[in-house]
Amino acid sequence: MANPHPADPGQPNEHPEAHATVEQPGATPAEHAAPAAFGLITAPMFISLAMILVIALIVWKKVPAAIGKALDSKIDVIRNQLAEAESLRKDAEALKAEYEAKRTSADAEAATIIERAKHEADAIVDQAKTNAEALVERRQRMAEDKIAAEERTAVEQLRATAADAARQAAAQLIRERVDEKADEALIGDAIRGIGTR
């Protein structure tokens, strides 16, 4: 079949088998019928019947009662856990109060020990001062006694030396002034003096 219109050089050639569809005004698309099982039950009806059947089965099997029992048992478990937690909290508070009391007592005892240690340290310092003063005084007395003893010894040695020097000087004088005759006369006088007594 020949193309009645000549082809434009800028337009592609149409395929001879291409057909255009033209929509006619006033025509409506064909309505589809809803699918139905056995011609009576539609999809919404089937869903409704299934839901009614599930609810009836749940009620028949006593699922709400079982759920209630499960919830009650869970509530009892939670209540027991809360009671145990309350008991533990009270025990913890009692322990805290006990440790606070022990800490307060320990602080007071530490303050008492520190105060006692200060007093003991002051007493030790005072005793050490007293002992040091007594030691210094005793050493001073010992030094003074030693000096006095050394002085006495020196005086005695000086006296002995002086007496010895005086004796030697007297002997020397006697030797120089007294001869043998005078010596015999003195001895005779002494013997006679003994005889008269």
Side-chain angles (χ1 to χ4, degrees), residues 48-63:
S48 299
L49 287 174
M51 286 181 64
I52 291 170
L53 182 64
V54 167
I55 291 171
L57 184 64
I58 287 173
V59 171
W60 180 62
K61 290 290 189 176
K62 299 180 182 176
V63 171

Side-chain angles (χ1 to χ4, degrees), residues 20-102:
T21 57
V22 178
E23 189 173 316
Q24 295 179 359
T28 59
E31 292 183 7
H32 295 289
F38 306 111
L40 297 173
I41 302 173
T42 61
M45 286 179 63
F46 182 75
I47 292 172
S48 299
L49 287 174
M51 286 181 64
I52 291 170
L53 182 64
V54 167
I55 291 171
L57 184 64
I58 287 173
V59 171
W60 180 62
K61 290 290 189 176
K62 299 180 182 176
V63 171
I67 291 173
K69 285 181 184 177
L71 289 175
D72 288 342
S73 66
K74 190 68 174 174
I75 288 170
D76 289 340
V77 168
I78 292 171
R79 190 174 291 130
N80 290 338
Q81 288 176 346
L82 287 174
E84 185 179 353
E86 181 67 20
S87 173
L88 288 173
R89 186 183 64 79
K90 288 180 181 177
D91 290 345
E93 287 177 354
L95 279 173
K96 180 184 175 188
E98 180 182 347
Y99 282 118
E100 286 290 328
K102 284 183 180 179

Side-chain angles (χ1 to χ4, degrees), residues 2-194:
N3 193 356
H5 301 291
D8 289 336
Q11 298 247 345
N13 289 332
E14 289 184 7
H15 196 276
E17 295 178 4
H19 297 286
T21 57
V22 178
E23 189 173 316
Q24 295 179 359
T28 59
E31 292 183 7
H32 295 289
F38 306 111
L40 297 173
I41 302 173
T42 61
M45 286 179 63
F46 182 75
I47 292 172
S48 299
L49 287 174
M51 286 181 64
I52 291 170
L53 182 64
V54 167
I55 291 171
L57 184 64
I58 287 173
V59 171
W60 180 62
K61 290 290 189 176
K62 299 180 182 176
V63 171
I67 291 173
K69 285 181 184 177
L71 289 175
D72 288 342
S73 66
K74 190 68 174 174
I75 288 170
D76 289 340
V77 168
I78 292 171
R79 190 174 291 130
N80 290 338
Q81 288 176 346
L82 287 174
E84 185 179 353
E86 181 67 20
S87 173
L88 288 173
R89 186 183 64 79
K90 288 180 181 177
D91 290 345
E93 287 177 354
L95 279 173
K96 180 184 175 188
E98 180 182 347
Y99 282 118
E100 286 290 328
K102 284 183 180 179
R103 185 182 62 79
T104 304
S105 173
D107 289 345
E109 187 175 348
T112 303
I113 289 171
I114 289 170
E115 191 65 29
R116 189 181 320 134
K118 285 181 181 176
H119 287 308
E120 289 178 1
D122 291 341
I124 289 170
V125 168
D126 291 341
Q127 184 65 36
K129 284 181 182 177
T130 305
N131 290 345
E133 289 172 0
L135 181 63
V136 167
E137 186 179 341
R138 192 167 52 246
R139 292 279 173 95
Q140 185 176 353
R141 205 174 325 119
M142 288 172 61
E144 289 173 355
D145 290 346
K146 191 171 182 181
I147 290 170
E150 291 291 330
E151 285 178 354
R152 283 194 301 272
T153 303
V155 168
E156 287 174 2
Q157 287 179 352
L158 186 59
R159 283 181 184 165
T161 304
D164 190 37
R167 186 185 55 79
Q168 288 178 0
Q172 182 68 25
L173 283 173
I174 291 172
R175 269 192 238 111
E176 290 175 358
R177 294 186 181 174
V178 178
D179 57 354
E180 288 185 15
K181 290 181 184 175
D183 199 20
E184 287 177 3
L186 283 172
I187 292 173
D189 289 339
I191 293 172
R192 279 191 293 276
I194 291 172

